[in-house]
Amino acid sequence: MKYVEISWLRMFAMVSIICCHLMQYYDCKLMYLFNIGVQVFFIISGFLYAGRTEDFTIGKLGNMFKKILIPYWIFVIPVLVLYAFTQPLSIRDVVGCLFAIRPLNGIEHLWFIPYILFCYLLLPYLYKLKHTPMGGGKILIITLIYNITAILLPSHFDPSCISCFVVGYFYKDVAAWISRHNCI
């Protein structure tokens, strides 16, 4: 199913991110206002994945990972080779970069790759929760607990991006419920 509104939201998010990067380049403090585009993309992703009716099996997740990791490796492996000639790299740097755990200096713009993969790992759990009684409430409680934990024990992931994905996933059901019950 194609959503015209989502195309408009994607365009808004893309323009917002471009503006953010331009303002960042010129050291303009207003850049933070335009950083919302990242969260919009995560909400859209969660919303679209919530519309899928199939369960997320290991094979399906593997295919989703390949879809992200193969182009990532096509870019990163030549960069690693080039870096090997220009600066010292540790095994930790190479492994961390290859498995999208942490980017190398100079390619930090790929920070979102591990976030996407982490969100993919959440999908089977979100799918199962969604199909249990009060699943949406459970999803929100888990998201709240994750955010509090991430604030108290800083983790690898910014909780706002992961939460936006989960909220987008949950919103699909809320929107359907509102539509079914003529609440608007």
Side-chain angles (χ1 to χ4, degrees), residues 11-169:
M11 188 174 73
F12 163 77
M14 179 190 64
V15 169
S16 176
I17 290 170
I18 291 169
C19 288
C20 177
H21 283 287
L22 286 172
M23 289 179 175
Q24 186 179 19
Y25 178 78
Y26 290 109
D27 200 27
C28 177
K29 301 302 177 201
L30 292 175
M31 70 182 170
Y32 296 109
L33 294 174
F34 291 92
N35 201 27
I36 193 167
V38 170
Q39 284 76 17
V40 171
F41 274 121
F42 277 100
I43 290 170
I44 291 170
S45 294
F47 182 83
L48 292 174
Y49 276 108
R52 294 194 173 184
T53 55
E54 77 275 4
D55 197 355
F56 294 94
T57 61
I58 299 283
K60 187 166 291 299
L61 285 175
N63 289 336
M64 293 165 67
F65 266 64
K66 282 189 230 172
K67 193 169 92 175
I68 297 294
L69 286 175
I70 290 174
Y72 172 77
W73 288 331
I74 288 171
F75 174 77
V76 163
I77 290 172
V79 169
L80 283 169
V81 170
L82 183 64
Y83 273 36
F85 290 111
T86 60
Q87 58 188 331
L89 290 176
S90 68
I91 297 292
R92 184 177 179 200
D93 290 335
V94 173
V95 171
C97 185
L98 283 175
F99 289 100
I101 296 167
R102 55 194 195 116
L104 295 174
N105 290 335
I107 58 171
E108 294 93 353
H109 59 280
L110 298 175
W111 65 268
F112 63 92
I113 300 293
Y115 281 79
I116 293 170
L117 298 176
F118 185 75
C119 289
Y120 284 174
L121 290 175
L122 289 177
L123 284 171
Y125 302 106
L126 294 175
Y127 182 84
K128 285 185 185 358
L129 274 175
K130 184 170 88 167
H131 292 91
T132 63
M134 296 297 292
K138 292 175 187 174
I139 290 171
L140 288 179
I141 289 169
I142 290 169
T143 304
L144 180 64
I145 291 169
Y146 172 75
N147 277 284
I148 291 169
T149 305
I151 290 168
L152 297 175
L153 304 167
S155 68
H156 180 69
F157 297 107
D158 176 4
S160 69
C161 294
I162 305 301
S163 296
C164 285
F165 180 82
V166 172
V167 166
Y169 191 90

